Amino acid sequence: MTSLTQLGDGVYAWFQPGGESGVSNAGVVVDADGVTVIDTLMVRSQWEPFAAAVEALDLPVKRTILTHAHIDHCGGTKAFPKTAIFGAQQTSDVLDSAMPIDAYKAFMPAFEEEFDDLEELGTRGVTHIVSGPAQLTPRIEVLPATGHTEGDIMVLVPDVDVCFTGDLCFFGVTPLAFQGDPAVWADVLDAVVDLADVLVPGHGPVGGEREVRELQTYLRACVDAQGDVHSIPPGPWDSWLDRERDVINVERAAMLARGDDEIPFSMLEAMGLA
Ligand SMILES: [Zn+2]
């Protein structure tokens, strides 16, 4: 049974064990005026217990911050129906578009049945675009970035030295860069390690600089592979989940290196679109 993990005074993470595709983390920060929720998980069986735990805090739920547009972070926006929703322009655009539900089913077959419920329920849209770094509440800074997607947002809570990184961090799980830029992403991680000692990733358990450096080394290996997935050397990633993503990450890096910003063929295949 998942529960809120307290990381500091009024700051909690909701860690979903595993962290494979569709299994993400979320966060909660309590300010004087009420609660900010960071990401909303994907399907009802995930966000119902999370929303119940937030409700049990017995405080007004004021804000939702979406770290990026991927459905495993945005699917539960209706679980917090009265919040202002902060997100990047890209997140807003995606939430205002039709859900590619068949692609979700193909890519995340474990949730196939629940996606029908999600399609019927729908999501809420972004109400407030985050276009630059901002002090969102007395406790919370939002920091836009790119790397995993074009519209990543990190959520920093300096008074407890915690940063919710969204999918700029995957710990114990292979990152997925089908819409990202592995080279840029690796460089961004230099800044991430300086933000806070305690990093809540989008997928996997809490971590810090060591885990970020491993992720950075892996992403650089994907770039250096120049399209040859077999040239990724042995490393800490040998124990990570979802290594089938190597192919996608290496293909994406090689495409970007030649100026091609499309979704890799290997990802289209994984989504049943190729
Ligand atoms: Zn993502």
Side-chain angles (χ1 to χ4, degrees):
M1 180 71 193
T2 309
S3 60
L4 286 174
T5 300
Q6 185 157 16
L7 301 174
D9 183 28
V11 179
Y12 307 87
W14 183 268
F15 293 106
Q16 293 200 100
E20 65 274 24
S21 292
V23 180
S24 63
N25 299 326
V28 174
V29 178
V30 179
D31 270 83
D33 72 340
V35 170
T36 301
V37 172
I38 301 153
D39 282 342
T40 62
L41 312 178
M42 185 169 74
V43 290
R44 187 183 298 274
S45 64
Q46 299 172 336
W47 52 252
E48 266 187 355
F50 175 52
V54 172
E55 183 155 330
L57 295 173
D58 202 19
L59 297 165
V61 184
K62 295 288 215 182
R63 290 162 293 270
T64 299
I65 304 171
L66 298 174
T67 61
H68 64 296
H70 289 157
I71 194 65
D72 49 340
H73 301 259
C74 301
T77 42
K78 289 207 170 169
F80 306 99
K82 294 180 180 169
T83 60
I85 301 185
F86 295 82
Q89 182 66 53
Q90 186 187 49
T91 303
S92 181
D93 293 344
V94 168
L95 292 181
D96 287 347
S97 308
M99 253 187 239
I101 215 81
D102 290 336
Y104 294 160
K105 286 180 176 180
F107 187 62
M108 296 174 270
F111 300 99
E112 186 171 357
E113 286 173 23
E114 286 203 87
F115 280 131
D116 289 327
D117 173 61
L118 178 62
E119 184 177 34
E120 199 177 307
L121 181 72
T123 54
R124 297 180 59 211
V126 171
T127 61
H128 296 68
I129 302 285
V130 176
S131 54
Q135 186 83 42
L136 193 68
T137 74
R139 298 192 72 183
I140 296 174
E141 292 174 37
V142 285
L143 303 170
T146 63
H148 174 65
T149 69
E150 284 294 308
D152 299 318
I153 294 175
M154 292 183 285
V155 180
L156 182 63
V157 192
D159 65 36
V160 287
D161 204 18
V162 171
C163 185
F164 297 88
T165 67
D167 279 0
L168 285 165
C169 290
F170 286 68
F171 296 150
V173 185
T174 311
L176 181 60
F178 76 100
Q179 285 182 318
D181 184 328
V184 169
W185 186 346
D187 289 346
V188 165
L189 292 175
D190 278 328
V192 172
V193 294
D194 288 336
L195 290 175
D197 283 344
V198 178
L199 303 173
V200 178
H203 298 263
V206 70
E209 176 158 10
R210 183 172 64 88
E211 288 78 11
V212 173
R213 294 299 179 195
E214 290 174 0
L215 173 61
Q216 185 177 49
T217 304
Y218 168 84
L219 289 166
R220 290 193 168 139
C222 289
V223 176
D224 293 344
Q226 297 183 8
D228 174 15
V229 71
H230 302 294
S231 73
I232 296 177
W237 38 87
D238 291 345
S239 65
W240 292 356
L241 300 174
D242 287 345
R243 284 296 299 282
E244 70 278 4
R245 293 175 176 174
D246 287 3
V247 176
I248 297 165
N249 296 332
V250 167
E251 185 183 356
R252 174 75 176 164
M255 288 170 69
L256 290 170
R258 59 175 187 265
D260 179 357
D261 192 13
E262 297 300 311
I263 292 183
F265 182 78
S266 51
M267 183 65 192
L268 294 175
E269 264 187 332
M271 294 190 294
L273 299 174

